[in-house]
Amino acid sequence: MAKRLPLIAGNWKMNNNHLEAIALVQKLAFGLNDKDYDNAEVVVLPPFTDLRSVQTLVDGDKLKIGYGAQDISAQDKGAYTGEISGAMLAKLDCSYVLVGHSERREYHNEDDALVNAKVKAAYRHGIVPILCVGEGLEVRKAGQQVEHVLAQLDGALKEVTAEQAERIVVAYEPVWAIGTGEVATPGDAQEVCAAVRARLAELYSPEVAGAVRVLYGGSVKGDNAPGIMAEDDVDGALVGGACLKADEFVKVIRFGER
Ligand SMILES: O=C(CO)COP(=O)(O)O
């Protein structure tokens, strides 16, 4: 089976206006070389208002950095004030979209049914969903993390075909590790990422499970990325705080060199 190319994605969250976005992507591109792009796929996920600027820069300078959005409407068009459709994101050449980030689940009450509708909306427009799953501290303390994450996965993948599922990216982000500096151990990440892959094999096939990239996210930095990425079932990282500084993000991308 072909080895999965690691994916290092930077979730900017609500940071950087469109001018700051250009500066950050330029700095990132300047810090990366051909070998980096051979070793990992590099993606940034800026706010909606930055996407056109990022698209223009990536196209104009022929950068090998990919990009995508942090959310997508479940609807395709119409009277949905404030929403952004998959068609709009596709027109901006977005390759990826985050779906079901824990901050959307928490602050916008997104449940598994809505996450499922957004996953399907992404596929309708040819955009690859980066599906976020992860447990809170109470669930972790109760030792229920695997059951919790698999229930989120099952809910998000309802009516998603094998052909679609093969292209999905799943990001395991334990909520207690997000923005807290409290990183999961490599063993914690491996346990849940392996369980996600095993469930994909059950729901679809070993081929689908073998193709899907499963990322870890939650306080990933340059110095802890190598240990986490060394685990068999961890195929990359979804990075928050550390992606806002180009130098630190480059260190994460070079996880294999340390
Ligand atoms: O939520 C995250 C990425 O989506 C992780 O954020 P931090 O890396 O800041 O913990």
Side-chain angles (χ1 to χ4, degrees):
M1 193 171 299
K3 184 87 189 79
R4 299 177 289 271
L5 181 66
L7 171 61
I8 308 292
N11 174 11
W12 293 8
K13 307 192 180 183
M14 197 169 70
N15 293 289
N16 296 321
N17 62 40
H18 71 287
L19 300 175
E20 293 162 338
I22 293 170
L24 180 54
V25 174
Q26 277 174 331
K27 208 165 165 205
L28 179 61
F30 190 74
L32 294 173
N33 57 43
D34 285 344
K35 196 171 148 226
D36 295 323
Y37 296 116
D38 287 344
N39 291 337
E41 184 180 351
V42 179
V43 165
V44 294
L45 304 164
F48 290 130
T49 50
D50 299 357
L51 287 172
R52 175 62 178 154
S53 303
V54 171
Q55 178 194 32
T56 305
L57 177 61
V58 166
D59 277 1
D61 291 359
K62 305 216 167 357
L63 304 182
K64 292 200 245 171
I65 296 173
Y67 59 89
Q70 296 172 18
D71 187 29
I72 180 173
S73 176
Q75 311 295 333
D76 286 339
K77 68 184 296 185
Y80 300 98
T81 302
E83 295 278 280
I84 302 290
S85 72
M88 293 168 181
L89 298 179
K91 196 74 182 164
L92 289 162
D93 294 328
C94 286
S95 308
Y96 294 98
V97 64
L98 286 180
V99 178
H101 192 280
S102 63
E103 289 150 17
R104 303 268 343 153
R105 293 181 193 258
E106 182 178 352
Y107 305 130
H108 301 270
N109 296 320
E110 294 196 4
D111 60 10
D112 289 335
L114 182 57
V115 170
N116 176 243
K118 290 186 173 193
V119 165
K120 289 188 272 192
Y123 283 122
R124 278 200 299 281
H125 298 282
I127 303 170
V128 172
I130 301 177
L131 168 67
C132 302
V133 292
E135 81 287 355
L137 190 58
E138 290 307 309
V139 173
R140 162 67 55 170
K141 279 185 180 156
Q144 300 288 309
Q145 62 274 11
V146 168
E147 293 83 342
H148 181 89
V149 164
L150 295 185
Q152 288 179 323
L153 187 70
D154 291 350
L157 292 178
K158 284 217 170 84
E159 294 153 21
V160 170
T161 66
E163 203 192 3
Q164 292 171 330
E166 192 170 46
R167 288 178 289 131
I168 206 166
V169 176
V170 180
Y172 168 54
E173 296 205 311
V175 180
W176 48 270
I178 295 178
T180 58
E182 181 135 357
V183 65
T185 65
D188 291 337
Q190 168 62 19
E191 178 197 34
V192 179
C193 292
V196 165
R197 199 178 306 287
R199 181 67 122 227
L200 290 169
E202 275 168 31
L203 290 173
Y204 299 102
S205 66
E207 288 71 29
V208 168
V212 170
R213 288 177 294 181
V214 184
L215 316 184
Y216 168 79
S219 297
V220 174
K221 310 261 178 309
D223 59 2
N224 59 32
I228 293 166
M229 296 289 300
E231 296 293 336
D232 281 352
D233 287 292
V234 180
D235 305 313
L238 181 56
V239 184
C243 78
L244 298 174
K245 296 253 180 302
D247 308 354
E248 189 65 23
F249 196 42
V250 168
K251 280 191 200 155
V252 176
I253 293 162
R254 293 198 178 135
F255 66 88
E257 291 177 15
R258 309 170 109 231

